[in-house]
Amino acid sequence: MTKTFEELDRLDVSGHVEKKANLSYLSWAWAWAEMKKADPAAVVTVHEFDDYIEIANTIQTVKKPFLRDKGGAWVKVSVTMNDRTETELLPVMDMRNKAVAEPDATTINKNIKRCFVKALALHGLGLFLYVGDDLPEQE
């Protein structure tokens, strides 16, 4: 049985909200289970980006699940459910929500999971957790 945005938005997730430091979040595993209950055919896509490495004096193109820039890195995840795709782009951050200049594989993986939960929220599940997320930082 698929659920609409309105049904997912009304779903009481308060008993599944976890806190780490000053952040509230939903576990990616719990969010995955709820997504599959709402739409068993739901699909998550972790976007890959071209990167270039030198192997035996030739430049090779490789795909990586993050995009690096001068400030750090980004991850991008799409969730397709109920015939609709929502996509989220997230800077790779630490537990204090600060950009990580040189993220390792574990940090990239954790941020892909965070990005998945945010992309899923665009379908309604736990969207309220991000209210105020886009406010300007205080000086």
Side-chain angles (χ1 to χ4, degrees), residues 43-88:
V43 174
V44 176
T45 303
V46 176
H47 296 269
E48 294 183 327
F49 302 90
D50 287 342
D51 198 4
Y52 307 94
I53 59 173
E54 186 175 339
I55 300 175
N57 295 326
T58 61
I59 303 297
Q60 302 289 322
T61 303
V62 294
K63 297 281 189 188
K64 292 189 176 176
F66 62 94
L67 175 66
R68 189 178 301 277
D69 68 13
K70 290 180 183 180
W74 297 81
V75 294
K76 184 178 178 181
V77 176
S78 295
V79 173
T80 302
M81 61 186 296
N82 301 326
D83 298 321
R84 199 174 85 242
T85 300
E86 297 289 358
T87 301
E88 186 67 38

Side-chain angles (χ1 to χ4, degrees), residues 1-129:
M1 173 183 105
T2 61
K3 291 185 179 176
T4 65
F5 175 91
E6 291 78 15
E7 290 170 317
L8 288 170
D9 191 43
R10 284 193 307 262
L11 190 63
D12 182 10
V13 303
S14 58
H16 302 282
V17 174
E18 300 179 35
K19 292 195 176 282
K20 191 178 281 188
N22 63 338
L23 302 174
S24 297
Y25 67 96
L26 291 174
S27 156
W28 73 266
W30 183 84
W32 178 275
E34 292 303 310
M35 174 188 73
K36 287 301 197 173
K37 288 178 199 172
D39 180 1
V43 174
V44 176
T45 303
V46 176
H47 296 269
E48 294 183 327
F49 302 90
D50 287 342
D51 198 4
Y52 307 94
I53 59 173
E54 186 175 339
I55 300 175
N57 295 326
T58 61
I59 303 297
Q60 302 289 322
T61 303
V62 294
K63 297 281 189 188
K64 292 189 176 176
F66 62 94
L67 175 66
R68 189 178 301 277
D69 68 13
K70 290 180 183 180
W74 297 81
V75 294
K76 184 178 178 181
V77 176
S78 295
V79 173
T80 302
M81 61 186 296
N82 301 326
D83 298 321
R84 199 174 85 242
T85 300
E86 297 289 358
T87 301
E88 186 67 38
L89 184 67
L90 184 73
V92 175
M93 299 176 283
D94 61 18
M95 291 181 1
R96 296 176 307 281
N97 262 11
K98 300 298 180 195
V100 177
E102 293 292 331
D104 61 18
T106 299
T107 303
I108 295 292
N109 183 60
K110 287 179 181 179
N111 278 269
I112 287 170
K113 301 302 188 199
R114 290 171 76 185
C115 194
F116 153 64
V117 175
K118 281 190 93 167
L120 181 57
L122 297 175
H123 287 276
L125 185 70
L127 184 60
F128 75 94
L129 287 169

